[in-house]
Amino acid sequence: MSVPTVSPRPAVRHGWAQAVAAVLTGLAVMVLVAALGLWAAGAGDLPDDAFPRVVAATLVTAVGGSVELSGNAGVLAQTRAGVTVIPLSVTLVGALVIGGGFLRPLRHRAVASVGELAGWAARIAVLWLLALIGLALGARQTFAVDVGSGTLSDLTGLFNAAPRVGFSADVPLTVLFGLLWLAGVLALALLVARGAPVPGRLLRFQESVRPAAQAMVVLLLAYVVVGLVAALITAATRGHAPATFALILLGLPNLAWLALTIGLGATWNGRVHGPFGLPMPHVLDAILRTPDVSSLNLGSLTDYDGRWWWLVVVDAVLLLAVAFWTAATSPARIRLWQHAVHLAVALALTVLMICLTCRVSAHYGLSLLGIGNLGGGLSGELFLRPRLWQAVGLGALWGLAAGFLGGLLARRVHRRGEVSGP
């Protein structure tokens, strides 16, 4: 009498239908978040039915694409404008949903060949390419600039110089950076997901790389959750609910991850001039609205309000928690100094990513008859950029210290494997 055998549960097939579902779901979530955020910010009142095009432009910038601003104010006048900002709330939800859709058919697998992973990723990339082209072609619009009444209005009418400002996506750059963004999302999903299969030749690297990478993702998401709680409390106690929800749906990670770097001791340089303004907290606008370039760091924040020292405490608690978790989930043969080095490298790379994605730059102006920027509400400038290598270095130092302390605390925790030495 033969013994019955139970066949292993087959993995879900990853064909074109699954790729379409993954891409469409990711796009739908990104469109929903961007549209709600823009609506809360007042973009629903834009003229000429421009709202869908602004949503498309927001998605283009969320995946690293390029949107160019242009101006036209007749023969005797010029307009100039430019904006560089990534709505990281839209970016984050898109990355989570598309990454989850990429991993879903690969569950119940321990190992997958390079060819299999590449083929599955290629299907998603082809559909994502079509979506990028559609978004880039749809992200274009022109608006008239209201110069008000008075002498300026009379001059613009006399010289047929009514200013108009528009935007349009750069299709080649949007396709290039959008595909690079997708490649990063899929690679990161394979790297951090605990049950994600990897090629056999890479199995020996996942013990040292995956726990630290997972810890950084947990850290970033934890900071977003903390920022969300703070924003909701602010909306409930101080009002300005529409502006707060616009911030949550468009740029919550921008501010949350900025706070993470400042808590590490990093400095950001910036300036706010003209009608531009930074969203809550109001302290950012107050510190940066100066005649010269200002420094945004723990010193300037605590000079404004001493309670901002809590950023250091939050950083220390969350970093120690993820460091302990990293060490506790790593094989016991990983030595203490290795934990420290792994977390130092991971946090340095994370801070580098934050510095590259959270910088902001915006300006616009109108000149007439060769006379510089006209005053009033027709010119403005806003920028915020990090002292890059200082921030990365501080991230490495904090990671080294947190990794060492987390490894010490995890020594009492039972882990798989045998200790090979002290």
Side-chain angles (χ1 to χ4, degrees):
M1 182 175 180
S2 61
V3 180
T5 59
V6 179
S7 60
R9 183 178 179 182
V12 177
R13 295 183 59 188
H14 40 77
W16 285 105
Q18 290 77 17
V20 169
V23 172
L24 288 183
T25 304
L27 278 176
V29 173
M30 294 176 75
V31 168
L32 178 63
V33 172
L36 289 175
L38 291 169
W39 177 77
D45 299 328
L46 290 172
D48 303 326
D49 297 323
F51 185 72
R53 297 179 179 88
V54 175
V55 172
T58 302
L59 262 66
V60 166
T61 57
V63 299
S66 175
V67 175
E68 300 176 347
L69 300 184
S70 59
N72 180 15
V75 178
L76 300 179
Q78 292 182 343
T79 58
R80 64 177 184 87
V83 60
T84 302
V85 62
I86 300 176
L88 288 178
S89 292
V90 182
T91 305
L92 180 60
V93 297
L96 292 174
V97 173
I98 292 177
F102 173 70
L103 292 175
R104 186 175 182 277
L106 301 174
R107 67 188 188 276
H108 313 305
R109 304 282 297 280
V111 179
S113 68
V114 174
E116 180 186 5
L117 293 175
W120 172 221
R123 288 183 174 89
I124 293 179
V126 169
L127 297 171
W128 185 246
L129 171 63
L130 297 176
L132 288 173
I133 294 174
L135 288 172
L137 293 177
R140 54 188 68 232
Q141 181 70 32
T142 302
F143 303 96
V145 178
D146 184 8
V147 297
S149 59
T151 304
L152 181 57
S153 177
D154 295 339
L155 285 172
T156 56
L158 176 65
F159 293 106
N160 191 26
R164 298 184 66 83
V165 175
F167 65 86
S168 61
D170 186 313
V171 178
L173 286 180
T174 296
V175 169
L176 173 62
F177 289 112
L179 289 176
L180 290 176
W181 177 85
L182 178 67
V185 168
L186 302 187
L188 188 61
L190 284 175
L191 181 64
V192 304
R194 186 179 299 276
V198 295
R201 68 185 68 176
L202 298 180
L203 286 174
R204 60 193 178 98
F205 295 107
Q206 70 176 359
E207 288 185 348
S208 59
V209 175
R210 180 167 283 176
Q214 290 173 337
M216 293 302 101
V217 172
V218 170
L219 177 67
L220 292 176
L221 293 178
Y223 243 95
V224 171
V225 172
V226 171
L228 176 61
V229 172
L232 292 176
I233 292 174
T234 301
T237 58
R238 300 184 182 180
H240 308 291
T244 302
F245 284 109
L247 170 66
I248 292 172
L249 293 167
L250 294 175
L252 179 60
N254 298 67
L255 287 179
W257 298 343
L258 171 68
L260 166 61
T261 63
I262 291 176
L264 298 177
T267 296
W268 293 65
N269 295 326
R271 182 172 182 249
V272 177
H273 169 68
F276 282 121
L278 287 172
M280 48 180 278
H282 172 71
V283 61
L284 299 184
D285 191 83
I287 291 174
L288 298 178
R289 192 173 291 279
T290 57
D292 300 317
V293 177
S294 301
S295 295
L296 180 66
N297 52 30
L298 276 173
S300 60
L301 285 173
T302 53
D303 285 343
Y304 185 87
D305 188 337
R307 291 174 296 180
W308 283 99
W309 277 109
W310 65 264
L311 290 177
V312 181
V313 177
V314 173
D315 272 12
V317 170
L318 290 180
L319 273 174
L320 188 58
V322 297
F324 171 81
W325 178 74
T326 302
T329 55
S330 298
R333 62 178 172 273
I334 303 296
R335 297 172 184 267
L336 186 58
W337 67 268
Q338 291 175 307
H339 286 302
V341 171
H342 293 165
L343 207 67
V345 173
L347 187 56
L349 292 175
T350 301
V351 171
L352 176 62
M353 180 276 297
I354 294 173
C355 291
L356 294 178
T357 57
C358 289
R359 58 180 64 198
V360 178
S361 174
H363 69 271
Y364 74 91
L366 169 67
S367 62
L368 189 64
L369 299 175
I371 303 173
N373 278 337
L374 298 176
L378 298 177
S379 66
E381 179 186 28
L382 181 155
F383 70 88
L384 185 64
R385 52 177 177 256
R387 295 182 186 174
L388 182 62
W389 299 116
Q390 177 213 49
V392 172
L394 287 168
L397 290 176
W398 274 77
L400 197 67
F404 183 82
L405 293 175
L408 281 178
L409 293 174
R411 281 188 163 183
R412 297 179 178 273
V413 177
H414 176 71
R415 292 177 284 160
R416 48 194 177 87
E418 296 181 357
V419 179
S420 57

